[in-house]
Structures are given as structure tokens and as C-alpha cells.
Amino acid sequence: MNESGAHSGSAVNDPGANQGGDVTGLAEDIVIAGAGPVGAVCALALRQGGLDPLLLEARPENAPLNDRRTLALSYGSRLLLERLGVWSQITQATPITRIHISHKGGLGRALLNAQEEKLPALGYVLRYGELAQALMNALRDTGVRMRFGVQVKNTNTGRQAAELELNGESRDCLRTRLAVIADGGRGETAAPAKWSHDYAQVAVVAEVKTELPHHNLAYERFTPNGPIALLPKDDGYALVWVNAPGEAARITQLDDATFLAELHTAFGGRQGRFLSVATRGQFPLKLDYRGSEAGAHVVRIGNAAQTLHPVAGQGFNLGLRDAWELAQSCLETAPESLGSSAQLARFAASRRRDALPGMGFTDFLVRTFSTSNPVLHHLRGLGLMALQALPPARHFIARRMLFGKNG
Ligand SMILES: Cc1cc2nc3c(=O)[nH]c(=O)nc-3n(C[C@H](O)[C@H](O)[C@H](O)COP(=O)(O)OP(=O)(O)OC[C@H]3O[C@@H](n4cnc5c(N)ncnc54)[C@H](O)[C@@H]3O)c2cc1C
């Protein structure tokens, strides 16, 4: 294994600068930029498989992990976290055993059921902060090398290695056979998207309590303004209420009583009255597909590779599968071939087979279910009725949502 720590030197802006057979200044085999859940899962799987990645994270080491963002984890992602020994450390995950899908103002509904899939749950709802903390503990226990307060500013590719320009506490550069960009897509290394669509929608998120207990039932209700998702979380629901940007801004500012009354009008009375609302926030929704290819010796995973609309709960789970599959690919590759174009082309092709159908499905749902077009409204109802009447169709959709291309 190579020596740990950074190789000092000036930034190489010429992509050809690393070309040639000499790899003697190489400091690392694998460097991962971003210790969010995706980067952390990749580092953990690599370390547990016997490799020695270096994980770089922009935030300071002791920054509190109190991100209250809600994540919907599929059953397939649970299996992955189990294999890494992380799942048992998560104490506050609420199972989703059924998903009720309907659309406002029309007939037709469908119910996905874990029992039908012979699984204990279709998925789980948990806090980003809790998952991040469990992963951080596992990284420390497994001895993954981490450097905090280090921001990757730029990535230069070359025939033998990639060079990462860092700008943190130690202003330096690192050469590595494989640079893994897992910065959530918001970092300075973000490349232009190959496929992009701004839905002109904003998700209003909050935690709400309802009159009736949730019994682990999630709702996905389509309205002409956008979908409303209620995900069972602890003794209440995590709400994702999608609207046009102006409407979302208005809703976010409403006093609690008016917010709950308007939510009742939009969602209906299936859970009785809405009793309380807390921790409101909002985030804009768009589709961005960059893919994993980022040049020689550099690869993107997680939200750095793709950002999806949350309607089908696919984005995060896709990111975890990116991380797992990249780690398996590295473990099957000879050390001297890490980051080679052959390895990265195989990985990219495999990830495309998983990501593109999931993205197409999500995009289809958003476009056909967020419209008041009367013909589409009618077809939507028929589609939901057909889904309910045809168990094989339900089974197909459930398996794709839970396990991606392996479903
Ligand atoms: C409000 C909100 C709600 C969401 N709800 C859901 C949901 O219900 N279900 C779902 O499946 N998905 C949801 N998502 C999406 C989900 O959060 C992402 O899919 C997931 O966080 C992606 O993980 P990641 O590790 O790729 O990126 P991130 O979680 O963004 O982590 C990236 C990490 O990289 C670090 N970093 C950034 N730039 C650099 C750099 N230059 N150098 C070094 N480190 C860097 C960051 O500090 C961070 O720790 C939601 C997203 C948002 C914003």
C-alpha cells in the first residue's frame, strides 16, 4: 500500500502533465472527495475489503452532524448497510410496510405492500444526521484515513494518475491512481450536466403529526401542483409537499394553523386531521445527470453523478449503489490498474444500466402526474387502476424501486 498523506507540489493544470510511464510521485491509490453517506459507504466498503483509501471532507472534523434532512432508504440499501455492519447502529429508522399511491380529484389508487414482496419492509425513513453519524463511527472503527477541513478545488486528469488540488488547512496537491468525486454535486468540481431539467418545482419539507397513527403506511399523492409524500417517521410523518416556487415560498411562511388547513385541503382526510407541524424547510427540484465518467483516473458517484426529483425516492439509493459497486470494482482490479480506462468504462456502463431507467421512471412520473391536462388525468387514473389490478406490474415496480437494476 502507498504511503499515506499528501504529496506537496503545485497544481497541474495541463491535463497532459501526468502523462508518461513515471508514477514515482504517486501518493495514493484511491482518494475520495466528500464524506457524505455515499463517499463514506465507498470508503468503508473499500477498507473492509482490504484497500486503504484516503477520505477528504470539506467540513471541519467536529462540525455537528445535526442535519435534519429526511432520507427514504430502500430495503436494498438496508441490506447494503447491513453488510457493512452499519445498520445495527441505526436506532431510529421507521419502517415503511405499505405505500398508498393516489391522485387528487380522480379514481384509481394502488397499494404496494411489503408482505406481497415477502420482505419485512419496503424501506425505512431516517434522519440524514443519524446515518452520517453511524457511518462516521464505522469509518473510525475500521481505521479509514480521513482528513477534515480539506476541500477539493480542482481535479486534473492524466494517463497515469489524477491530481487533486486541495484548499483546506494544508493547501497542497495529491496524486492518486483513482480520484472519487462524492461531493454531492454542489462542489467546485461539478461538471456541466449531460441531461438536465429544471422542474420549476420546490419541495416544502416538514414534520407533521396526524390524528390517526401511521401504522407504517406511506402516501404518495399526485396533485396538479406536484406530488405530496407523507413518510412515516417516529410517531408522525415526514412531509414532502411539492409546489411551484412562488407557492412553495408562500406555504413555507404560513402560520401553523393555516399551513395544516391547506395541507388537509391538498392531501385529503385519509389520516384524519393534521395536528402539528415542525421544522419546515424547502429545496428546489431538478434533474441533473452527469454520469460517472469524469476523465482518466477520476470517477463521480452519488449526487455528484446524478440528482433526481425525490418523487420515487430513488436518488439516494442509487448513490449508495454507485458507492458499493465502485468499491467492488476496485477490489476486483489489480492495484496497478486502479483508475484505468478499462476499469472506469466497465463501471460507467454498469451504472448507466442502473441509473438511466430509474431516472427515466422518475422523470416520467413527475411530468405525467404533475399536470391538470384532462386526458392525462384520465390516463393516470387508469394507470393506477391497472397497477392495482395487476400484481406482476406492482411486483416489477416495487423490485425496481427497492433494488435498482438488480431488482
Ligand atoms: C432537503 C433534502 C431532502 C432530501 N430528501 C431525500 C429523500 O427523502 N430521499 C432520498 O432518497 N434523497 C433525498 N435527498 C437527496 C439526498 O440527500 C442525497 O441523495 C444524498 O445526500 C446524496 O449523498 P452524497 O453523499 O452523494 O452527497 P451529500 O450528502 O451532499 O454529501 C457530500 C459531502 O461532500 C462534502 N463536500 C462537498 N464539496 C466538497 C469538496 N469540494 N471537497 C471535499 N468534500 C466536499 C460535503 O461537506 C458533504 O459532506 C434530499 C436532499 C435534500 C437537499
Side-chain angles (χ1 to χ4, degrees):
M1 197 51 55
N2 286 318
E3 224 178 271
S4 68
H7 161 77
S8 303
S10 56
V12 177
N13 294 314
D14 170 9
N18 288 332
Q19 290 180 11
D22 178 23
V23 288
T24 45
L26 202 54
E28 295 291 339
D29 277 346
I30 305 174
V31 177
I32 303 171
V38 169
V41 160
C42 187
L44 203 51
L46 287 166
R47 188 74 194 114
Q48 290 183 357
L51 294 180
D52 187 23
L54 174 65
L55 186 55
L56 306 177
E57 168 56 46
R59 74 183 145 70
E61 178 157 18
N62 296 320
L65 283 169
N66 57 0
D67 191 322
R68 293 183 65 83
R69 197 184 316 176
T70 293
L71 293 173
L73 205 78
S74 69
Y75 188 75
S77 293
R78 171 198 159 145
L79 294 181
L80 197 152
L81 294 175
E82 263 176 7
R83 290 175 80 165
L84 293 170
V86 173
W87 182 251
S88 57
Q89 307 307 311
I90 293 171
T91 54
Q92 277 192 304
T94 308
I96 301 173
T97 55
R98 290 165 300 147
I99 304 176
H100 183 283
I101 309 165
S102 64
H103 70 149
K104 193 175 180 201
L107 293 173
R109 60 162 197 94
L111 191 69
L112 302 181
N113 197 325
Q115 250 178 3
E116 226 173 60
E117 300 306 319
K118 301 186 175 41
L119 296 174
L122 295 167
Y124 299 84
V125 182
L126 70 165
R127 284 202 175 86
Y128 182 101
E130 190 182 2
L131 176 61
Q133 189 60 63
L135 284 165
M136 204 44 70
N137 295 343
L139 289 167
R140 291 201 172 103
D141 292 349
T142 326
V144 171
R145 291 176 301 132
M146 292 185 270
R147 284 173 62 191
F148 290 89
V150 176
Q151 195 179 15
V152 174
K153 297 289 277 185
N154 202 6
T155 323
N156 300 304
T157 63
R159 203 189 305 152
Q160 296 292 330
E163 187 163 88
L164 301 179
E165 295 175 18
L166 312 182
N167 180 16
E169 55 200 8
S170 53
R171 298 188 174 277
D172 52 9
C173 292
L174 264 180
R175 291 189 78 208
T176 178
R177 291 184 203 275
L178 178 60
V180 182
I181 307 298
D183 63 2
R186 292 185 297 269
E188 304 191 24
T189 56
K194 291 179 187 160
W195 178 18
S196 187
H197 183 74
D198 185 346
Y199 294 108
Q201 290 182 335
V202 169
V204 176
V205 289
E207 293 181 13
V208 295
K209 297 252 164 75
T210 56
E211 198 177 2
L212 302 176
H214 58 61
H215 296 302
N216 303 100
L217 171 65
Y219 291 96
E220 187 78 66
R221 184 154 175 80
F222 293 94
T223 81
N225 294 345
I228 302 175
L230 284 180
L231 307 172
K233 184 179 181 192
D234 305 330
D235 59 349
Y237 273 107
L239 166 73
V240 184
W241 187 2
V242 175
N243 274 286
E247 182 63 358
R250 186 189 70 77
I251 289 170
T252 310
Q253 299 302 323
L254 292 174
D255 64 77
D256 286 2
T258 317
F259 182 95
L260 295 170
E262 292 203 12
L263 177 58
H264 189 275
T265 306
F267 176 77
R270 281 204 160 83
Q271 278 300 126
R273 283 179 303 123
F274 287 96
L275 302 178
S276 64
V277 53
T279 55
R280 267 183 254 180
Q282 47 173 306
F283 65 100
L285 302 175
K286 67 188 291 222
L287 166 75
D288 263 333
Y289 176 66
R290 296 184 194 94
S292 72
E293 302 101 323
H297 295 272
V298 185
V299 65
R300 287 188 212 96
I301 57 173
N303 267 31
Q306 66 266 317
T307 308
L308 275 67
H309 193 289
V311 64
Q314 292 289 292
F316 180 59
N317 299 297
L318 200 51
L320 290 189
R321 295 200 294 275
D322 285 348
W324 176 262
E325 203 172 314
L326 180 62
Q328 303 315 306
S329 158
C330 291
L331 293 169
E332 289 161 8
T333 300
E336 64 278 9
S337 301
L338 280 173
S340 63
S341 51
Q343 185 205 357
L344 297 188
R346 264 196 314 275
F347 174 71
S350 173
R351 295 317 299 148
R352 272 197 299 275
R353 283 196 294 278
D354 194 8
L356 292 179
M359 293 175 69
F361 176 61
T362 298
D363 193 51
F364 165 80
L365 282 182
V366 181
R367 288 175 195 250
T368 49
F369 278 81
S370 301
T371 167
S372 49
N373 179 313
V375 178
L376 282 179
H377 183 78
H378 198 59
L379 288 175
R380 263 193 323 246
L382 289 175
L384 286 172
M385 279 187 225
L387 189 59
Q388 184 58 22
L390 296 171
R394 280 205 304 283
H395 179 68
F396 176 80
I397 287 185
R399 304 301 291 191
R400 283 299 309 202
M401 285 173 73
L402 303 189
F403 303 108
K405 73 172 157 55
N406 300 324

